[in-house]
PDB file of all heavy atoms in Angstrom:
ATOM      1  N   THR A1032     -19.514   1.636  24.257  1.00  0.00           N
ATOM      2  CA  THR A1032     -20.773   1.096  24.755  1.00  0.00           C
ATOM      3  C   THR A1032     -21.699   2.227  25.171  1.00  0.00           C
ATOM      4  O   THR A1032     -21.256   3.344  25.470  1.00  0.00           O
ATOM      5  CB  THR A1032     -20.537   0.161  25.956  1.00  0.00           C
ATOM      6  OG1 THR A1032     -19.877   0.890  26.987  1.00  0.00           O
ATOM      7  CG2 THR A1032     -19.694  -1.040  25.568  1.00  0.00           C
ATOM      8  N   ASN A1033     -22.989   1.939  25.173  1.00  0.00           N
ATOM      9  CA  ASN A1033     -24.018   2.904  25.579  1.00  0.00           C
ATOM     10  C   ASN A1033     -23.913   4.220  24.813  1.00  0.00           C
ATOM     11  O   ASN A1033     -24.093   5.295  25.372  1.00  0.00           O
ATOM     12  CB  ASN A1033     -23.964   3.151  27.087  1.00  0.00           C
ATOM     13  CG  ASN A1033     -24.208   1.880  27.866  1.00  0.00           C
ATOM     14  OD1 ASN A1033     -25.121   1.123  27.552  1.00  0.00           O
ATOM     15  ND2 ASN A1033     -23.389   1.627  28.860  1.00  0.00           N
ATOM     16  N   THR A1034     -23.591   4.124  23.547  1.00  0.00           N
ATOM     17  CA  THR A1034     -23.456   5.294  22.687  1.00  0.00           C
ATOM     18  C   THR A1034     -24.324   5.105  21.456  1.00  0.00           C
ATOM     19  O   THR A1034     -24.356   4.026  20.869  1.00  0.00           O
ATOM     20  CB  THR A1034     -21.983   5.473  22.257  1.00  0.00           C
ATOM     21  OG1 THR A1034     -21.179   5.595  23.425  1.00  0.00           O
ATOM     22  CG2 THR A1034     -21.796   6.708  21.397  1.00  0.00           C
ATOM     23  N   ASP A1035     -25.036   6.140  21.065  1.00  0.00           N
ATOM     24  CA  ASP A1035     -25.851   6.088  19.852  1.00  0.00           C
ATOM     25  C   ASP A1035     -24.983   6.410  18.635  1.00  0.00           C
ATOM     26  O   ASP A1035     -24.168   7.332  18.674  1.00  0.00           O
ATOM     27  CB  ASP A1035     -26.988   7.105  19.917  1.00  0.00           C
ATOM     28  CG  ASP A1035     -28.039   6.736  20.942  1.00  0.00           C
ATOM     29  OD1 ASP A1035     -28.098   5.560  21.345  1.00  0.00           O
ATOM     30  OD2 ASP A1035     -28.812   7.624  21.340  1.00  0.00           O
ATOM     31  N   TYR A1036     -25.156   5.630  17.578  1.00  0.00           N
ATOM     32  CA  TYR A1036     -24.469   5.858  16.320  1.00  0.00           C
ATOM     33  C   TYR A1036     -25.494   5.889  15.198  1.00  0.00           C
ATOM     34  O   TYR A1036     -26.525   5.230  15.270  1.00  0.00           O
ATOM     35  CB  TYR A1036     -23.462   4.737  16.025  1.00  0.00           C
ATOM     36  CG  TYR A1036     -22.311   4.685  16.991  1.00  0.00           C
ATOM     37  CD1 TYR A1036     -22.317   3.804  18.057  1.00  0.00           C
ATOM     38  CD2 TYR A1036     -21.211   5.517  16.821  1.00  0.00           C
ATOM     39  CE1 TYR A1036     -21.252   3.753  18.946  1.00  0.00           C
ATOM     40  CE2 TYR A1036     -20.147   5.468  17.703  1.00  0.00           C
ATOM     41  CZ  TYR A1036     -20.177   4.583  18.765  1.00  0.00           C
ATOM     42  OH  TYR A1036     -19.125   4.531  19.638  1.00  0.00           O
ATOM     43  N   ARG A1037     -25.198   6.631  14.161  1.00  0.00           N
ATOM     44  CA  ARG A1037     -26.039   6.646  12.960  1.00  0.00           C
ATOM     45  C   ARG A1037     -25.330   5.806  11.907  1.00  0.00           C
ATOM     46  O   ARG A1037     -24.197   6.090  11.514  1.00  0.00           O
ATOM     47  CB  ARG A1037     -26.221   8.063  12.439  1.00  0.00           C
ATOM     48  CG  ARG A1037     -27.126   8.117  11.238  1.00  0.00           C
ATOM     49  CD  ARG A1037     -27.435   9.563  10.840  1.00  0.00           C
ATOM     50  NE  ARG A1037     -28.414   9.587   9.769  1.00  0.00           N
ATOM     51  CZ  ARG A1037     -28.097   9.643   8.486  1.00  0.00           C
ATOM     52  NH1 ARG A1037     -26.827   9.694   8.112  1.00  0.00           N
ATOM     53  NH2 ARG A1037     -29.040   9.670   7.565  1.00  0.00           N
ATOM     54  N   LEU A1038     -26.000   4.741  11.461  1.00  0.00           N
ATOM     55  CA  LEU A1038     -25.440   3.818  10.483  1.00  0.00           C
ATOM     56  C   LEU A1038     -26.223   3.956   9.181  1.00  0.00           C
ATOM     57  O   LEU A1038     -27.448   3.940   9.168  1.00  0.00           O
ATOM     58  CB  LEU A1038     -25.543   2.379  10.990  1.00  0.00           C
ATOM     59  CG  LEU A1038     -25.054   1.287  10.060  1.00  0.00           C
ATOM     60  CD1 LEU A1038     -23.536   1.358   9.924  1.00  0.00           C
ATOM     61  CD2 LEU A1038     -25.471  -0.072  10.581  1.00  0.00           C
ATOM     62  N   LYS A1039     -25.500   4.099   8.079  1.00  0.00           N
ATOM     63  CA  LYS A1039     -26.127   4.168   6.760  1.00  0.00           C
ATOM     64  C   LYS A1039     -25.376   3.223   5.836  1.00  0.00           C
ATOM     65  O   LYS A1039     -24.144   3.243   5.785  1.00  0.00           O
ATOM     66  CB  LYS A1039     -26.061   5.591   6.198  1.00  0.00           C
ATOM     67  CG  LYS A1039     -26.629   5.711   4.797  1.00  0.00           C
ATOM     68  CD  LYS A1039     -26.511   7.139   4.274  1.00  0.00           C
ATOM     69  CE  LYS A1039     -27.007   7.246   2.856  1.00  0.00           C
ATOM     70  NZ  LYS A1039     -26.868   8.617   2.329  1.00  0.00           N
ATOM     71  N   VAL A1040     -26.122   2.380   5.132  1.00  0.00           N
ATOM     72  CA  VAL A1040     -25.533   1.440   4.188  1.00  0.00           C
ATOM     73  C   VAL A1040     -26.168   1.688   2.831  1.00  0.00           C
ATOM     74  O   VAL A1040     -27.392   1.735   2.712  1.00  0.00           O
ATOM     75  CB  VAL A1040     -25.772  -0.023   4.614  1.00  0.00           C
ATOM     76  CG1 VAL A1040     -25.175  -0.984   3.597  1.00  0.00           C
ATOM     77  CG2 VAL A1040     -25.218  -0.278   6.005  1.00  0.00           C
ATOM     78  N   THR A1041     -25.337   1.854   1.799  1.00  0.00           N
ATOM     79  CA  THR A1041     -25.848   1.971   0.437  1.00  0.00           C
ATOM     80  C   THR A1041     -25.273   0.821  -0.371  1.00  0.00           C
ATOM     81  O   THR A1041     -24.117   0.430  -0.188  1.00  0.00           O
ATOM     82  CB  THR A1041     -25.463   3.308  -0.226  1.00  0.00           C
ATOM     83  OG1 THR A1041     -24.045   3.383  -0.364  1.00  0.00           O
ATOM     84  CG2 THR A1041     -25.970   4.495   0.588  1.00  0.00           C
ATOM     85  N   ALA A1042     -26.101   0.261  -1.230  1.00  0.00           N
ATOM     86  CA  ALA A1042     -25.654  -0.817  -2.114  1.00  0.00           C
ATOM     87  C   ALA A1042     -26.214  -0.541  -3.493  1.00  0.00           C
ATOM     88  O   ALA A1042     -27.434  -0.509  -3.683  1.00  0.00           O
ATOM     89  CB  ALA A1042     -26.132  -2.161  -1.591  1.00  0.00           C
ATOM     90  N   GLU A1043     -25.331  -0.314  -4.432  1.00  0.00           N
ATOM     91  CA  GLU A1043     -25.709  -0.102  -5.823  1.00  0.00           C
ATOM     92  C   GLU A1043     -25.004  -1.167  -6.647  1.00  0.00           C
ATOM     93  O   GLU A1043     -23.793  -1.083  -6.862  1.00  0.00           O
ATOM     94  CB  GLU A1043     -25.324   1.300  -6.284  1.00  0.00           C
ATOM     95  CG  GLU A1043     -26.089   2.391  -5.552  1.00  0.00           C
ATOM     96  CD  GLU A1043     -25.746   3.777  -6.069  1.00  0.00           C
ATOM     97  OE1 GLU A1043     -25.409   3.900  -7.259  1.00  0.00           O
ATOM     98  OE2 GLU A1043     -25.830   4.717  -5.279  1.00  0.00           O
TER      99      GLU A1043
END
Side-chain angles (χ1 to χ4, degrees):
T1032 59
N1033 299 315
T1034 302
D1035 291 341
Y1036 294 98
R1037 182 173 186 266
L1038 178 69
K1039 177 181 177 181
V1040 179
T1041 64
E1043 295 183 30

